[in-house]
Amino acid sequence: MPAQSSKIRNLLRRFGLILSFLLLALALTLLSDRFLTSANIINVLRQSTINGIIAIGMTYVILTAGIDLSVGAILALSAVMTANLLQGGTAVPLAIIIGLGVGAGLGLINGLIITKANVPPFVATLGMMTIARGLALTYTGGRPITGLPDSFRTIGTGVVGGVPVPIILAGAAFIIGAVLLTKTAVGQYILAIGNNPVAARYAGIAVHRYTTFVYVLAGALSALAGMILIARLDSAQPTAGLAYEFDAIAAVVVGGTSFAGGQGGLGGTLVGVLIIAVLNNGLNLLNVSSFYQPVVTGVVIAVALLLHRALR
Amino acid sequence: MAGISKAFPGVQALQDVNFEMARGEIHALVGENGAGKSTLMKVLTGAHLPDAGQISWRGQPAAIHAPADAQALGIGMIHQELSLIPYLTVGQNIFLGREPRWKLPGFIDWKKLYAQTQDLLDRLNLDVNPRAEAQGLSIAQQQMVEVAKALSLNADLIAMDEPTSSLTDKETEVLFAMMRALKAQGVAIIFISHRLEEVFEISDRVTVLRDGRHIATRPTAELDHNKIVELMVGRELGDIYAYSPTEQRDVVLETADLSDGDELKGVSLQLRGGEILGLAGLIGAGRTALAETLFGIRPAAAGDIKLAGQPVKIRSPKQAIQHGLGFVPEDRKLQGLFLHMAVRENVLLSGMDLVATLGFINSGKANGLVQGFVDKLDIRTPSLQQEVRNLSGGNQQKVVIARWLALQPRVLILDEPTRGVDVGAKAEIHALMRQLAEEGVGILMISSELPEVLGVSDRILVMHEGRITGELTREEATQDKIMRAATGVVHHGI
């Protein structure tokens, strides 16, 4: 029965990811008595919010068989612009909306270059990465913008009902993202485009429009992540978010979303984000040299990919 | 080649075929689409292994297990799709992987390579710079470079699959002159063509295949057009086509001089509601181009489309759907299906508006709608959540058809609706088409299978080289008449 075996394989694929996460957590609990404490768990979650929010957009992009290398640079440019507006006295809600708009706008440019000019996503977003980063440096003269209004800083440092605001924001983003992907027509169109862009066009789906949309989404979510970052640090650096695109891609890939597009989802990405965050946290707790940490993370990503391939 | 058989899943492509070539002979291989011509050539050149049969070369049994074996024997093949690498030069293409070496190991002797290339081109009387990049050459020139490549392998037998299909008349003449020159040098050529006039012009002998069987091999001089067509189609219609005419209603689709500036060269047609209009012709005749232009996949370069009497402009499939058109494309897997998505989503993707409120999919409504079509079309699937790639070809095709039925189109275009579909599902799809016609839908069916065209259609149009070359009522249509129009015999006034 092909149905039965594919069902089992499907379960194994999801189950395997959560299982490895639990094994990792179990190992760290045994190795360090500081791991399984509420303070540490809140800490891990807070640290994973920025990568988590970016990885939501990245999941959508990779589901269309695309890639977005510009998320870190978009984060930086929208963050310094928001910080500058705030220091200039712009009302906090307006500054946030403008900042998100900058992120979405840069994503829109990505999307239009990819769909209308038919430039491969890797190349288009590589260009955007260097341009946005350069603009962020130019805009600030290379200096950080420090000292933001307290009401703005709430989104990075506030706590509601014992839960830090960034965790609430990231959780909400995941839920909205997952609902959009699985429960709406738009989500199915995006999966369809990733699955077979030719058939999607033949089926009357506006392929260009929805492909552009995922880059807009990725840009806006990068801007949101940037705001949480600068609110927490009370400072917007033009070099903020450097190489964040790779953390996000790593989380998506560990989470089982296929680079070929059309297969995967946000549940996997969430676990992927948490695996990477817990791993880094554990290595810190175990006093592993920070030079070795990327090596370990890299090995984990490679192993995760090999497992996904074996289970496919 | 003696007693060659080859089966693919669901198809007996070749059945006990005998074929022989003499030195310095030009031998034409003809037959309908799917008659087994290409498969036979692929067996000869090592791309397919035969299930049974023996190939002999110069009187000795030959073991051809791979293209390299055929090459080593001196058998070359020029495929319909050319395989030159655009950014390499003519010389680099010809000697790719076999470049003459310089004194130092690993270095290429470019001087020698280009000198040898020039010799080959001279042999073909081909005025092309060996150092020119392949992408700058015309299709005809590229073809000749492929021939030069075959010659560089010391080929004594060259098989050419539809070499003239994309050539102009003048280029064809140049190709024929080259073929005659090769023949004079003792090279044997197998020539596959759908154009009978060319077969008469160039070939010494003709072999006809039909349904994977060898029908006849005769000297060309003993044959005429009618005889070849007779040999090509001479089979009885099966009785699997139960035909009952439906009431013909008003014209739902009309085109005037429609062209795409490329393959489609001015097509005017009318389709009535309740009518199944069969569109016959050989591969490359422009039938798919017509369907794709109607559906907004290719932009129309000239001409008009009217739907229910209203002129419309269709620039995208989305617009075509809004105007009430549906299109079941030729290549199910490439153009029709989302293989890794569920049956439910595959059926719903074009009609999400039917089951969604403010963009949110109403699961109950969606399941109800899809289950209705699964029942109506008898789509055999364990559940609506089943990934479509696990379904059989016939059920996959029904999924694509169900997607369009959900939208209740006024015009449904089906391109090879039963290709790769088993006999049972085929009959079901035909019955479904008739049922739709009864409901008033206008159906345009493209098919390369003549019995299907004859068995299902109310009226038949035949295309040849981008134009309609024949219109036949159901009563007057015969395989013979269709093949004549499809090979341009009628068109050329013979």
Side-chain angles (χ1 to χ4, degrees):
Chain A
M1 287 293 284
Q4 209 83 28
S5 75
S6 96
K7 221 175 211 170
I8 291 168
R9 238 187 359 233
N10 253 332
L11 280 175
L12 202 65
R13 231 190 295 173
R14 277 187 195 171
F15 192 62
L17 190 63
I18 292 169
L19 189 72
S20 38
F21 173 65
L22 292 177
L23 284 175
L24 180 66
L26 181 69
L28 289 172
T29 310
L30 295 175
L31 287 170
S32 165
D33 51 5
R34 280 182 297 162
F35 178 73
L36 201 65
T37 59
S38 62
N40 189 53
I41 288 170
I42 295 273
N43 183 31
V44 169
L45 287 176
R46 192 165 47 208
Q47 280 172 354
S48 58
T49 51
I50 288 166
N51 187 27
I53 290 172
I54 297 173
I56 294 168
M58 191 66 78
T59 306
Y60 270 87
V61 170
I62 292 179
L63 280 173
T64 65
I67 192 81
D68 190 346
L69 300 179
S70 64
V71 286
I74 289 177
L75 179 153
L77 182 54
S78 58
V80 296
M81 289 178 79
T82 309
N84 195 44
L85 287 172
L86 289 167
Q87 285 200 334
T90 308
V92 171
L94 185 61
I96 291 174
I97 289 168
I98 293 173
L100 293 176
V102 169
L106 295 171
L108 179 66
I109 295 171
N110 274 337
L112 291 177
I113 290 173
I114 289 162
T115 55
K116 301 293 175 197
N118 208 14
V119 175
F122 190 98
V123 179
T125 60
L126 183 69
M128 177 59 77
M129 174 172 103
T130 54
I131 290 167
R133 180 68 66 190
L135 287 175
L137 287 162
T138 315
Y139 188 77
T140 58
R143 288 179 296 275
I145 300 170
T146 308
L148 302 173
D150 285 345
S151 59
F152 176 79
R153 294 203 57 207
T154 311
I155 64 171
T157 58
V159 177
V160 176
V163 186
V165 173
I167 297 176
I168 297 172
L169 286 173
F174 260 103
I175 291 167
I176 294 169
V179 168
L180 181 68
L181 190 60
T182 56
K183 303 287 178 203
T184 70
V186 173
Q188 296 308 311
Y189 293 156
I190 288 166
L191 288 171
I193 290 166
N195 234 284
N196 188 343
V198 176
R201 183 161 165 255
Y202 279 54
I205 294 170
V207 175
H208 284 187
R209 186 192 306 164
Y210 294 111
T211 305
T212 305
F213 167 73
V214 299
Y215 290 93
V216 172
L217 188 68
L221 287 169
S222 303
L224 175 64
M227 282 177 209
I228 293 172
L229 182 70
I230 62 172
R232 195 165 76 205
L233 299 177
D234 193 21
S235 169
Q237 310 255 1
T239 53
L242 211 56
Y244 279 19
E245 48 277 0
F246 298 112
D247 292 339
I249 293 168
V252 174
V253 166
V254 170
T257 293
S258 162
F259 257 118
Q263 286 175 279
L266 285 173
T269 298
L270 179 61
V271 182
V273 169
L274 291 176
I275 285 180
I276 291 174
V278 165
L279 196 64
N280 286 330
N281 174 257
L283 294 172
N284 278 331
L285 290 179
L286 298 175
N287 291 320
V288 175
S289 152
S290 62
F291 296 151
Y292 280 117
Q293 289 189 11
V295 179
V296 177
T297 315
V299 169
V300 168
I301 293 168
V303 170
L305 279 181
L306 287 172
L307 285 176
H308 286 312
R309 177 120 326 165
L311 286 172
R312 189 146 290 166
Chain B
M1 302 177 83
I4 302 291
S5 295
K6 173 77 188 172
F8 296 109
V11 196
Q12 184 72 37
L14 292 174
Q15 176 90 52
D16 201 17
V17 171
N18 299 314
F19 183 74
E20 50 150 44
M21 287 290 294
R23 192 176 170 76
E25 172 190 42
I26 298 179
H27 195 136
L29 189 56
V30 299
E32 284 184 82
N33 299 334
K37 299 169 300 210
S38 294
T39 309
L40 185 65
M41 289 304 102
K42 282 178 178 162
V43 169
L44 175 66
T45 54
H48 288 326
L49 283 181
D51 300 332
Q54 175 63 48
I55 303 174
S56 302
W57 180 248
R58 299 183 199 282
Q60 302 291 321
I64 298 177
H65 300 299
D69 296 338
Q71 261 180 23
L73 291 173
I75 301 172
M77 171 101 196
I78 318 274
H79 293 277
Q80 204 173 346
E81 301 85 24
L82 299 176
S83 57
L84 296 184
I85 297 167
Y87 303 108
L88 295 184
T89 65
V90 170
Q92 284 173 325
N93 267 294
I94 290 177
F95 288 101
L96 193 61
R98 307 174 285 117
E99 295 87 352
R101 293 308 158 115
W102 199 49
K103 286 160 224 153
L104 281 177
F107 287 80
I108 293 167
D109 187 345
W110 292 108
K111 224 169 147 180
K112 194 169 165 195
L113 184 148
Y114 285 115
Q116 289 183 354
T117 305
Q118 191 62 59
D119 287 346
L120 288 167
L121 298 178
D122 288 346
R123 213 175 134 194
L124 297 171
N125 286 325
L126 187 55
D127 185 21
V128 167
N129 183 351
R131 288 183 163 79
E133 283 186 4
Q135 60 175 339
L137 305 181
S138 71
I139 300 287
Q141 288 172 325
Q142 291 187 32
Q143 213 142 38
M144 311 246 194
V145 171
E146 296 261 17
V147 174
K149 191 172 174 176
L151 288 179
S152 76
L153 290 158
N154 297 318
D156 292 321
L157 172 62
I158 300 177
M160 303 172 93
D161 193 357
E162 300 251 15
T164 59
S165 62
S166 44
L167 300 189
T168 63
D169 289 351
K170 201 159 173 245
E171 289 170 334
T172 302
E173 276 315 308
V174 176
L175 178 74
F176 283 178
M178 185 206 72
M179 286 166 69
R180 288 189 188 103
L182 287 175
K183 179 182 161 176
Q185 293 167 25
V187 177
I189 296 172
I190 301 172
F191 176 68
I192 299 180
S193 178
H194 278 311
R195 295 181 186 165
L196 296 186
E197 4 0 343
E198 293 175 358
V199 168
F200 284 102
E201 183 177 343
I202 192 76
S203 70
D204 302 311
R205 283 199 295 171
V206 179
T207 287
V208 180
L209 296 184
R210 186 206 311 152
D211 296 338
R213 287 167 200 275
H214 176 259
I215 300 302
T217 298
R218 310 244 178 96
T220 312
E222 290 177 12
L223 292 165
D224 60 26
H225 279 273
N226 289 340
K227 216 165 222 151
I228 291 187
V229 170
E230 223 177 272
L231 291 168
M232 279 165 72
V233 301
R235 75 185 143 186
E236 294 298 312
L237 265 187
D239 54 358
I240 58 165
Y241 302 102
Y243 174 76
S244 61
T246 38
E247 181 201 344
Q248 306 271 302
R249 308 182 195 198
D250 293 340
V251 172
V252 286
L253 170 71
E254 190 175 357
T255 71
D257 269 325
L258 191 66
S259 71
D260 68 349
D262 181 24
E263 283 180 58
L264 195 63
K265 294 172 179 141
V267 165
S268 304
L269 63 82
Q270 286 195 332
L271 173 67
R272 291 180 175 279
E275 179 182 39
I276 298 179
L277 179 58
L279 189 55
L282 298 163
I283 289 165
R287 296 170 303 164
T288 298
L290 171 62
E292 290 183 352
T293 308
L294 285 172
F295 202 62
I297 293 161
R298 298 169 180 239
D304 300 307
I305 303 173
K306 277 187 194 173
L307 283 167
Q310 298 297 313
V312 291
K313 289 267 176 259
I314 297 174
R315 292 191 193 82
S316 70
K318 199 175 156 73
Q319 287 180 356
I321 291 166
Q322 282 161 355
H323 285 301
L325 259 64
F327 178 40
V328 176
E330 182 178 11
D331 191 327
R332 197 158 50 230
K333 291 193 172 145
L334 208 68
Q335 302 163 328
L337 291 168
F338 306 92
L339 290 171
H340 291 284
M341 294 179 83
V343 169
R344 192 182 92 153
E345 274 64 39
N346 268 281
V347 172
L348 282 178
L349 269 167
S350 298
M352 282 293 187
D353 295 345
L354 301 171
V355 296
T357 318
L358 296 172
F360 284 88
I361 299 163
N362 179 331
S363 206
K365 231 179 183 178
N367 289 339
L369 185 79
V370 176
Q371 188 63 52
F373 283 110
V374 166
D375 295 342
K376 183 178 174 193
L377 275 63
D378 193 19
I379 299 173
R380 267 148 258 171
T381 175
S383 83
L384 302 184
Q385 269 66 48
Q386 177 68 7
E387 283 188 17
V388 123
R389 68 192 163 114
N390 296 322
L391 268 50
S392 73
N395 285 307
Q396 287 183 344
Q397 188 71 324
K398 289 184 192 170
V399 167
V400 180
I401 294 174
R403 185 188 302 153
W404 297 112
L405 297 193
L407 298 175
Q408 301 184 311
R410 285 186 291 179
V411 174
L412 186 60
I413 305 166
L414 300 111
D415 196 351
E416 306 286 357
T418 61
R419 176 179 288 173
V421 161
D422 62 89
V423 181
K426 197 168 174 171
E428 287 171 20
I429 289 171
H430 290 150
L432 186 71
M433 286 164 62
R434 183 51 67 191
Q435 193 187 332
L436 287 172
E438 275 163 13
E439 289 165 15
V441 180
I443 292 179
L444 181 64
M445 178 190 71
I446 298 172
S447 174
S448 294
E449 211 184 305
L450 288 181
E452 179 173 52
V453 172
L454 289 168
V456 176
S457 318
D458 297 308
R459 185 161 60 96
I460 295 162
L461 294 178
V462 188
M463 284 185 76
H464 176 65
E465 298 190 343
R467 291 187 181 84
I468 289 177
T469 52
E471 176 170 359
L472 302 159
T473 63
R474 181 182 178 84
E475 291 70 35
E476 65 189 1
T478 61
Q479 297 208 3
D480 198 84
K481 283 180 183 163
I482 292 174
M483 279 314 283
R484 269 174 229 237
T487 48
V489 176
V490 172
H491 190 59
H492 290 80
I494 297 165

